[in-house]
Amino acid sequence: MNHTDKSKELMALAAEVTPGGVHSPGRAFKSVGGTPRFIERGDGAWLYDVDGNKYVDFCCSWGPLILGHGDPEVVNAVKDQIDRGMTFGASTEHEYNLASFITERVEPVESIRFVSSGTEAVMSAIRLARGFTGRDLILKFEGCYHGHSDHLLVSAGSGLVTFGQPASAGVPEAITSQTAVLPLDDEDALETFFAEYGDKLAAVVIEGIPANNGLLIQRHEYMRLLRALTEKHGALLILDEVITGFRVGMGGAAAYYGIRPDLITYGKIIGGGMPVGAFGGRAEIMNQLSPLGPVYQAGTLSGNPVAMVAGLTTLKKLADGGIHARLEEKNRKFVSSIVSRLSNSTVNIAGVASIFWIVFQKELPRTAAGISTDGISHYNRMHEQILDRGVYLPPSGYEVCFVSAAHTDEMLEHTADLLVETIGREAHAWA
Ligand SMILES: *Cc1c(COP(=O)(O)O)cnc(C)c1O
């Protein structure tokens, strides 16, 4: 067992001044139990905690760190900018540089605006879609996460389509009543919904590849039908690429599926580890934003220069380096090495690009309802054991793992062995 005395002590102190001791709930390890590790530093694919333990990191700050911790070029760009100033509340050329870099490479994004988080990006994109279409209703999908703004904290009910059931205390039903929820992967449900509500719909928001409630890889035909139906009914398609943007290749999930969304939201990777978000798309729509148009949106730290240089340096490396192809190959090899050795057990791993998701069920689900809750509890039980063996997986069975450019073949082989043993033991105990 790892010594975790210092982490425990810090957690107790933190809990005195912060709800649950954490500033984002997943960090409290409530699903998996065990001691949340306080991190002292990261280096490449390694995390070091305050008790001197080290871990191969597959959480990668929940997605942003595609180059791993402390990439020297990113760190130097950030240091250089910090020397010049951290924020001015006035424009810098860095915002233009990152904006033009993205608009040149992602065809559907003709114009873009930066904000400070993924939540803010999706929230603003929805306001913009409502302002542009003059409609209020939005549609989201069960099993997709889009940040914690009020109108997206909605649970799915028992019917095929449900409206307005707040998923959090403090969210008024008056707000969520304008959000419809459908299951993923169901063409009939889409057709039925659009026939009845399509002409009232401002926007559909969907994750590029749903990766916040398991990895629910959607079929291309389904995504294309969604694009066709939104277009037919004059509703905007908002593709939430906060995870998939620059993760699933330079063109993200839009290119992966071969669809052209009206708006795309970003976060995570485009900030290179600094807090950032963005939304962009058709210029005709984006020009409805203030100061040009009537849709208000603003931010004191939006387009923060330190975040801009960290993001741009990261994206430039991704564009030049063939990194995506190498990551995909590494991830494919890693996943198949584990899955092939566990083929006799009730374990599978979903993988796409440099994302993987461990499930204690044979069939890979494409909907939230298809996720085995028993399977999730097996993951959760396994988590502390694998953590003790030096592998840092996200602290919930619903969360996906990331492979970064800093994960070497050697590390992955070693980790695959550990995972096969630990997962195998848990799956065996269950059978
Ligand atoms: C992480 C995430 C968000 C929220 O981003 P924050 O920066 O945490 O606010 C929104 N949408 C998706 C798809 C995400 O993965």
Side-chain angles (χ1 to χ4, degrees):
M1 290 284 278
N2 282 166
H3 289 290
T4 56
D5 297 352
K6 211 162 167 193
S7 280
K8 274 200 190 82
E9 195 182 312
L10 285 169
M11 191 63 185
L13 287 171
E16 286 173 21
V17 289
T18 292
V22 293
H23 297 275
S24 194
R27 299 177 196 170
F29 280 31
K30 243 182 113 174
S31 309
V32 294
T35 306
R37 308 304 202 256
F38 276 64
I39 304 304
E40 195 209 28
R41 67 191 172 94
D43 181 12
W46 295 101
L47 272 183
Y48 297 81
D49 73 13
V50 290
D51 289 286
N53 306 301
K54 71 171 187 174
Y55 310 89
V56 181
D57 182 15
F58 288 101
C59 187
C60 294
S61 192
W62 310 81
L65 301 179
I66 193 168
L67 301 176
H69 297 273
D71 177 86
E73 286 171 55
V74 176
V75 169
N76 283 336
V78 165
K79 283 182 174 163
D80 191 55
Q81 180 55 41
I82 285 176
D83 283 341
R84 293 159 205 269
M86 285 185 269
T87 177
F88 309 110
S91 295
T92 67
E93 67 176 307
H94 306 303
E95 292 147 87
Y96 165 73
N97 290 340
L98 186 56
S100 65
F101 186 94
I102 294 174
T103 53
E104 276 164 26
R105 278 159 190 84
V106 186
E107 215 235 307
V109 180
E110 299 166 359
S111 176
I112 190 166
R113 181 164 280 176
F114 294 110
V115 292
S116 298
S117 72
T119 295
E120 211 186 335
V122 184
M123 180 188 81
S124 307
I126 283 173
R127 184 181 307 139
L128 176 58
R130 285 172 163 164
F132 180 76
T133 58
R135 305 171 179 178
D136 288 343
L137 191 63
I138 56 173
L139 170 65
K140 81 173 284 285
F141 295 88
E142 185 187 3
C144 284
Y145 176 70
H146 303 289
H148 65 93
S149 64
D150 282 352
H151 42 236
L152 292 167
L153 282 183
V154 178
S155 341
S158 48
L160 202 53
V161 54
T162 47
F163 292 88
Q165 304 186 15
S168 162
V171 174
E173 263 191 61
I175 291 177
T176 56
S177 67
Q178 295 305 307
T179 306
V181 187
L182 280 186
L184 287 162
D185 188 48
D186 186 340
E187 271 94 346
D188 289 345
L190 274 188
E191 301 266 17
T192 310
F193 178 85
F194 272 88
E196 185 159 357
Y197 301 104
D199 296 341
K200 297 190 183 77
L201 196 61
V204 176
V205 57
I206 188 167
E207 277 188 70
I209 297 174
N212 277 285
N213 183 73
L215 184 59
L216 307 173
I217 303 167
Q218 297 302 294
R219 290 171 295 112
H220 286 50
E221 312 85 77
Y222 176 76
M223 295 299 284
R224 292 199 182 132
L225 176 65
L226 184 56
R227 175 65 284 193
L229 286 171
T230 43
E231 206 165 306
K232 181 173 157 207
H233 290 271
L236 302 188
L237 178 61
I238 303 172
L239 197 64
D240 183 355
E241 299 233 41
V242 171
I243 282 192
T244 48
F246 301 95
R247 167 74 58 184
V248 183
M250 295 304 283
Y256 173 85
Y257 293 117
I259 56 170
R260 194 179 211 285
D262 301 293
L263 294 172
I264 296 180
T265 53
Y266 293 109
K268 300 192 171 120
I269 287 178
I270 69 155
M274 298 295 294
V276 94
F279 60 109
R282 270 160 58 198
E284 174 200 9
I285 304 170
M286 293 299 290
N287 289 344
Q288 295 300 307
L289 285 173
S290 50
L292 285 186
V295 180
Y296 189 70
Q297 188 278 328
T300 303
L301 292 171
S302 289
N304 174 264
V306 184
M308 295 294 105
V309 300
L312 185 60
T313 309
T314 302
L315 296 195
K316 277 187 172 163
K317 283 191 85 154
L318 292 175
D320 294 347
I323 291 176
H324 285 118
R326 283 202 297 279
L327 275 176
E328 187 165 343
E329 176 58 17
K330 263 199 277 197
N331 192 36
R332 200 193 51 72
K333 252 174 66 184
F334 178 67
V335 166
S336 63
S337 140
I338 300 171
V339 169
S340 65
R341 284 185 278 166
L342 289 171
S343 59
N344 291 326
S345 69
T346 322
V347 172
N348 208 339
I349 301 183
V352 65
S354 46
I355 311 173
F356 68 93
W357 178 49
I358 302 166
V359 285
F360 284 78
Q361 65 190 86
K362 215 66 243 183
E363 194 82 15
L364 294 176
R366 278 198 294 260
T367 64
I371 300 175
S372 152
T373 47
D374 278 353
I376 295 294
S377 45
H378 282 280
Y379 175 98
N380 290 346
R381 276 212 294 276
M382 180 271 299
H383 182 269
E384 192 174 9
Q385 298 165 44
I386 196 76
L387 189 63
D388 260 338
R389 303 183 78 174
V391 180
Y392 196 99
L393 298 181
S396 157
Y398 289 103
E399 299 292 344
V400 298
C401 305
F402 298 97
V403 173
S404 82
H407 288 78
T408 63
D409 287 338
E410 244 182 340
M411 268 169 167
L412 290 174
E413 272 166 40
H414 174 67
T415 312
D417 292 345
L418 292 175
L419 281 167
V420 167
E421 274 176 38
T422 312
I423 295 173
R425 202 182 311 127
E426 179 64 35
H428 188 70
W430 188 26

